[in-house]
């Protein structure tokens, strides 16, 4: 579920559409809603302002950003769309919507491997992970949001979340873009970029 959407100061991305083609870089790019926030972000973590339109796009010089996260700022859901709209909306085990059926078992497989297989066939829902965070270097800028359809990222979230302390404020984490190498079925080495989140320490509160 996507929450807090009205309080978001900026959005993190590592790809964008250029002339209808997806251009993926190994550096973060952010979009903010004001020139003042763009300037504060560049001062705090570096970067170059790429546009002055709203939202203002800022290219960061880095693939790794230190952020502050609280457990309730992480959300995850799975959706399957059909010609008549949303066909399946769950958290992997329970229905999220329609509201009348909320909390009922959704019937999805318990493992990510099986869920991914069904999603690829178009018979099961796709994952969507949303994390909100503050920049560790400038938390006063406000909440940033990163949304990912990556199965690898979604699969890492339950373990990551269970390691976050439930109380006593936020945790220092590193949000990065990692090159992932694998060998394809044709025995070719393939590299792709994927987001990664890991804990680096506790906030001193
Ligand atoms: Zn489901």
């Amino acid at each position: 579920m996507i929450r807090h959407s009205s309080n978001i100061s900026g959005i993190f991305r590592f790809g964008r559409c250029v002339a209808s083609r997806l251009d993926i870089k190994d550096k973060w790019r952010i979009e903010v809603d004001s020139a003042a926030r763009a300037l504060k972000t560049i001062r705090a973590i570096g970067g170059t302002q790429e546009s002055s339109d709203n939202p203002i796009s800022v290219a960061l010089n880095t693939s790794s950003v230190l952020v502050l996260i609280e457990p309730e700022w992480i959300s995850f859901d799975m959706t399957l769309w059909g010609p008549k709209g949303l066909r399946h909306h769950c958290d992997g085990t329970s229905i999220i919507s329609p509201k009348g059926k909320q909390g009922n078992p959704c019937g999805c497989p318990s493992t990510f491997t099986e869920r991914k297989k069904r999603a690829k066939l178009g018979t099961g829902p796709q994952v969507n992970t949303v994390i909100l965070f503050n920049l560790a270097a400038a938390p006063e800028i406000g909440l940033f949001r990163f949304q990912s359809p990556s199965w690898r990222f979604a699969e890492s979230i339950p373990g990551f979340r269970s390691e976050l302390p439930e109380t006593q404020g936020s945790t220092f984490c590193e949000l990065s873009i990692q090159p992932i190498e694998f060998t394809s079925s044709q025995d070719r080495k393939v590299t792709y970029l994927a987001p990664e989140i890991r804990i680096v320490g506790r906030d001193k509160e």
Side-chain angles (χ1 to χ4, degrees), residues 78 88-95 105-109 115 118 125:
M78 296 176 65
H88 189 104
H89 185 202
C90 71
D91 65 3
T93 51
S94 309
I95 292 170
C106 72
C108 280
R115 290 174 186 173
R118 287 179 53 166

Side-chain angles (χ1 to χ4, degrees), residues 7-12 30-33 37 143-146:
N7 306 325
I8 301 303
S9 303
I11 292 174
F12 264 60
I30 61 162
E31 284 170 5
V32 287
D33 57 3
R37 284 205 173 104
L143 279 177
F144 285 83
R145 178 170 177 274
F146 174 61

